[in-house]
Amino acid sequence: MSTNVARVLVCLEEVGAEYDVVNIDFPSMEHKSPAHLARNPFGQIPAFQDGDVVLFESRAISKYVLRKYKSSKTDFMRDGNLNEAAMVDVWTEVEAHQYNPAISPIVYQCLIFPALRGIPTDQKVVDESLEKLKKVLDVYEARLSKTKYLAGDFISFADLTHFPYTYYFMMTPHASVFDSYPHVKTWWESLVARPTAKKLSTYMLEVAQPSVSEEVTNLGEFVGRSSRIRPGRMEPTLATSHLLTPYKMGEFSLAHRVVLAPLTRCRAHGSLVRPHMAVYYGQRASPGCFLVSEACAVSEAARGARDVPGLWTDEQVQSWKPVVDAVHAKGAVFFCQLWHAGRASCAELQPNGQAPVSSTDKQVRPQITHAGNVVEFATPRRLEAEEIPNIVNEFRIAARNAMKAGFDGVEIHAANGYLIDQFMKDSVNDRMDAYGGSLENRCRFATKVIEAIADEVGPGPVGVRLSPFADYMECSDSDPEALALHVIRTTLNPLGVLYCHAVEPRMRVNPDDGKLTLPHMLLPFRRAFQGTFLVNGGYDPEEGDAAVANGGYDPEEGDAAVAKGYADLVAYGRLFLANPDLPERFRRNAALNKYDRSTFYTSDPVLGYTDYPFIDQL
Ligand SMILES: Cc1cc2nc3c(=O)[nH]c(=O)nc-3n(C[C@H](O)[C@H](O)[C@H](O)COP(=O)(O)O)c2cc1C
């Protein structure tokens, strides 16, 4: 939707006016037709008609609407008070002449040109506009530190008119600029929290999605005020949902946004992949679907469970090939998750029963699984700084091996309390050397691994999984937001990493309705990261089956995440485990198989592994 149309819609919605939206066929130049030129002589969008009144220019239309529908609750022009009305005019002009010229080129360069017209971003234009925008925001910050809204302590048209461009700007990689202006940020958060803004976001998001570019060119024209907006478009059914729209991730053309999350299934044998794993992954593959493999150990000492696959020998590389082929035969994209468990391991899994390595020598306390079993971990051995390049090299070799096996790329497992996380998080890392202490030092190991892998295979096929808020394996951080932002800003963005796979915090009980809900705390990372942003629900091994039963990333949650621009892709773990045809089930809005937790990690090649039925088998 065009920002000009959005400006008018915001006002129509704020005053509760009834109206109809009529599309203009852009490609056939309907906006230059005599009928349209009679309403808007410049052949631009929108044009507005209310009985005999015909108007053009979005700010003029908006003001007309706000004046016509003024009430004590919707007095957005403040015409009854000379001084207040003058301030509304001042800040409306500021939007048109200062704010808009600074922010709109960034939106065009980062969002509209690449998404709709296939034109790459001109970074020079973006950088210059950002400098301009910062100067404008300095003025806004000063103003908003004195008054709640721009024209005074009342919301007015001066605020509403900022909505369209700011909304789109927040979807660009530069949204974090607002973080440096706390009063502006609070002002924007109060605007975007208004019911009107939430309602309009479905329309607004269409511009950011290349897949619907044809629809987007049908920009709105307003003629009259009869019925509501066409209902089918405001409330898309699952069949037309955002989650099922195509997406281009770097060189990979994905058919939809539903991703298989990495899932350890303990069906390998002696770190070699077995043929039933080809059946399992092949079942979950479909054209343009993105699959991430289970965690694959980078060395013998990296294993954190029995019967997990490895990628440090040629034999292991060969054993992966039929699996990768099975996935590719179905037209899916397949990345391999590379993993070192660090201290989350036990002596039986270690070569010669030696101690597992870590950033620390603190042991993880025994854990009780959902099934009531006690898992004991060995006391780890703190790695000497001189040993660390060897471990980095193991990751590098495993990445090379993954590509040799035919994978399309690798995902670095820097989440869930495993080795990389053990270095990053301050509840575990108690080192005093160059790998401990400051944020920069704690992230050094992660950076070296990511750099080595990007160097080995190129940044194009590299993703990184982070779980800043998680405390699995007693691995937590006192400032998770700063931690993840640091990794994103200093490593992922400069290296041009393809995707960031971020795990939500565990679900929380909503005090309003007592239900478990996703906290949705990944937004700052989504804004900071310049590549594809993939989200996944937080997994709590102790939470029983409640996560999915109470929400989590079910189809609706996933759809909303994509619709709101919160994520590009959504990974599904347990739902995909139990539903080999998950995207198709979403497409048909079909019932889902329930997963059987008792078979998650058993070694049966069929039971709870390849025997979950497809929808057409039911
Ligand atoms: C059986 C099982 C195995 C898992 N194995 C891995 C793994 O190998 N690597 C990883 O990063 N996360 C792993 N996870 C976490 C999942 O990727 C995912 O984050 C979690 O299941 C929450 O997503 P969901 O609610 O969609 O299931 C595993 C989860 C389950 C249930």
Side-chain angles (χ1 to χ4, degrees):
M1 170 186 294
S2 88
T3 45
N4 290 337
V5 174
R7 178 176 289 117
V8 179
L9 269 184
V10 169
C11 296
L12 283 163
E13 285 291 340
E14 281 287 349
V15 296
E18 291 196 346
Y19 56 90
D20 202 11
V21 180
V22 179
N23 287 334
I24 288 285
D25 188 357
F26 236 48
S28 71
M29 303 290 283
E30 195 186 341
H31 52 303
K32 301 293 177 198
S33 68
H36 186 74
L37 289 174
R39 288 187 291 260
N40 185 332
F42 294 104
Q44 291 169 342
I45 313 291
F48 175 87
Q49 189 174 344
D50 180 21
D52 292 338
V53 178
V54 179
L55 299 172
F56 56 95
E57 291 293 348
S58 65
R59 289 178 186 80
I61 301 170
S62 302
K63 288 180 186 173
Y64 170 89
V65 167
L66 295 180
R67 288 192 171 113
K68 173 158 180 167
Y69 293 96
K70 172 187 157 181
S71 73
S72 56
K73 283 193 192 143
T74 59
D75 184 5
F76 292 99
M77 296 304 298
R78 314 297 283 198
D79 286 327
N81 181 318
L82 187 62
N83 291 352
E84 288 179 358
M87 291 313 283
V88 175
D89 284 345
V90 166
W91 286 96
T92 305
E93 299 270 324
V94 169
E95 186 269 337
H97 303 306
Q98 309 291 341
Y99 189 81
N100 202 335
I103 204 167
S104 63
I106 306 171
V107 170
Y108 271 90
Q109 289 296 338
C110 296
L111 215 61
I112 297 176
F113 287 166
L116 296 187
R117 304 188 196 157
I119 302 171
T121 302
D122 184 336
Q123 200 52 44
K124 193 162 172 271
V125 174
V126 174
D127 292 344
E128 284 167 8
S129 303
L130 276 172
E131 284 318 301
K132 260 196 224 165
L133 181 63
K134 285 179 192 160
K135 288 193 183 117
V136 174
L137 289 179
D138 285 340
V139 177
Y140 275 54
E141 181 66 12
R143 171 69 184 168
L144 291 166
S145 66
K146 294 198 195 93
T147 56
K148 196 165 170 218
Y149 294 99
L150 289 168
D153 287 323
F154 49 87
I155 182 155
S156 74
F157 175 55
D159 305 294
L160 299 183
T161 192
H162 284 75
F163 179 76
Y165 270 114
T166 315
Y167 185 84
Y168 284 144
F169 177 77
M170 289 301 171
M171 293 167 65
T172 73
H174 307 288
S176 58
V177 165
F178 270 52
D179 294 347
S180 313
Y181 302 89
H183 291 96
V184 179
K185 205 174 165 200
T186 309
W187 164 78
W188 171 245
E189 281 165 359
S190 74
L191 282 186
V192 85
R194 294 179 77 76
T196 311
K198 289 194 176 142
K199 199 164 176 187
L200 280 182
S201 57
T202 315
Y203 269 173
M204 305 276 297
L205 278 160
E206 289 180 351
V207 79
Q209 292 173 29
S211 56
V212 291
S213 59
E214 279 178 29
E215 274 184 52
V216 176
T217 55
N218 293 333
L219 299 173
E221 174 199 23
F222 297 89
V223 289
R225 43 177 292 263
S226 50
S227 60
R228 306 284 306 162
I229 290 177
R230 293 168 190 172
R233 297 196 51 195
M234 284 301 279
E235 288 159 9
T237 63
L238 272 179
T240 56
S241 70
H242 298 86
L243 194 56
L244 296 174
T245 54
Y247 178 76
K248 191 105 170 88
M249 178 175 74
E251 62 169 274
F252 304 103
S253 297
L254 306 181
H256 51 74
R257 321 301 185 97
V258 183
V259 176
L260 172 67
L263 293 167
T264 292
R265 304 304 314 276
C266 301
R267 261 64 174 196
H269 186 66
S271 301
L272 288 176
V273 169
R274 310 303 300 159
H276 44 264
M277 293 170 67
V279 179
Y280 168 81
Y281 282 106
Q283 285 178 337
R284 279 150 191 81
S286 57
C289 185
F290 179 32
L291 313 184
V292 183
S293 81
E294 63 206 276
C296 188
V298 299
S299 68
E300 195 178 351
R303 296 172 309 156
R306 55 158 188 86
D307 293 332
V308 291
L311 260 178
W312 66 91
T313 69
D314 275 347
E315 202 185 356
Q316 289 159 0
V317 172
Q318 295 309 322
S319 74
W320 267 112
K321 281 187 174 167
V323 181
V324 179
D325 289 347
V327 170
H328 284 160
K330 293 275 198 78
V333 176
F334 200 14
F335 273 42
C336 181
Q337 192 186 54
L338 300 181
W339 174 53
H340 196 308
R343 68 174 186 163
S345 186
C346 48
E348 302 87 81
L349 294 170
Q350 295 299 313
N352 308 318
Q354 67 199 26
V357 296
S358 181
S359 59
T360 179
D361 51 16
K362 286 180 293 190
Q363 185 180 12
V364 189
R365 278 171 297 182
Q367 293 185 355
I368 302 176
T369 67
H370 183 63
N373 303 324
V374 178
V375 181
E376 303 225 26
F377 300 94
T379 305
R381 180 175 70 76
R382 185 193 305 268
L383 279 164
E384 298 296 334
E386 305 79 68
E387 294 177 277
I388 291 176
N390 282 338
I391 310 268
V392 172
N393 201 39
E394 287 173 358
F395 271 96
R396 178 193 278 273
I397 292 169
R400 186 187 305 158
N401 285 343
M403 302 310 274
K404 271 195 211 161
F407 279 102
D408 299 296
V410 294
E411 175 175 296
I412 300 164
H413 196 347
N416 298 359
Y418 295 114
L419 186 63
I420 299 179
D421 221 15
Q422 291 159 25
F423 270 89
M424 287 195 294
K425 289 187 174 161
D426 58 11
S427 78
V428 178
N429 186 329
D430 51 2
R431 306 174 72 92
M432 310 290 279
D433 62 5
Y435 293 91
S438 68
L439 191 54
E440 194 185 353
N441 281 359
R442 284 185 278 121
C443 294
R444 193 178 304 284
F445 176 59
T447 302
K448 283 188 181 296
V449 170
I450 301 166
E451 273 173 359
I453 290 183
D455 176 57
E456 182 66 37
V457 302
V462 177
V464 175
R465 187 170 225 214
L466 299 172
S467 61
F469 299 104
D471 57 0
Y472 311 122
M473 305 289 173
E474 296 171 9
C475 192
S476 60
D477 197 79
S478 55
D479 193 348
E481 189 166 317
L483 174 69
L485 284 175
H486 180 84
V487 177
I488 289 170
R489 289 185 179 142
T490 62
T491 304
L492 306 197
N493 283 345
L495 285 175
V497 159
L498 179 65
Y499 72 87
C500 174
H501 187 170
V503 180
E504 293 280 0
R506 290 168 197 232
M507 294 205 289
R508 298 193 178 145
V509 176
N510 180 345
D512 295 337
D513 57 14
K515 286 188 181 160
L516 275 173
T517 47
L518 278 172
H520 288 125
M521 285 167 72
L522 306 175
L523 195 58
F525 316 136
R526 194 292 185 266
R527 287 180 177 158
F529 183 58
Q530 289 166 356
T532 294
F533 198 66
L534 165 59
V535 295
N536 184 217
Y539 174 54
D540 182 349
E542 295 136 42
E543 77 199 353
D545 292 344
V548 170
N550 285 284
Y553 273 114
D554 58 15
E556 287 78 20
E557 275 279 347
D559 200 61
V562 175
K564 288 179 192 147
Y566 181 76
D568 299 308
L569 305 172
V570 183
Y572 288 90
R574 288 161 290 178
L575 287 186
F576 221 145
L577 179 156
N579 295 273
D581 49 359
L582 190 68
E584 185 55 26
R585 289 192 191 230
F586 285 179
R587 193 164 281 124
R588 296 197 207 172
N589 206 4
L592 301 175
N593 300 330
K594 280 187 80 174
Y595 56 78
D596 175 5
R597 183 181 293 274
S598 70
T599 56
F600 277 178
Y601 306 108
T602 52
S603 51
D604 196 297
V606 176
L607 190 69
Y609 193 55
T610 56
D611 63 349
Y612 282 107
F614 284 73
I615 186 168
D616 292 329
Q617 295 170 331
L618 291 170

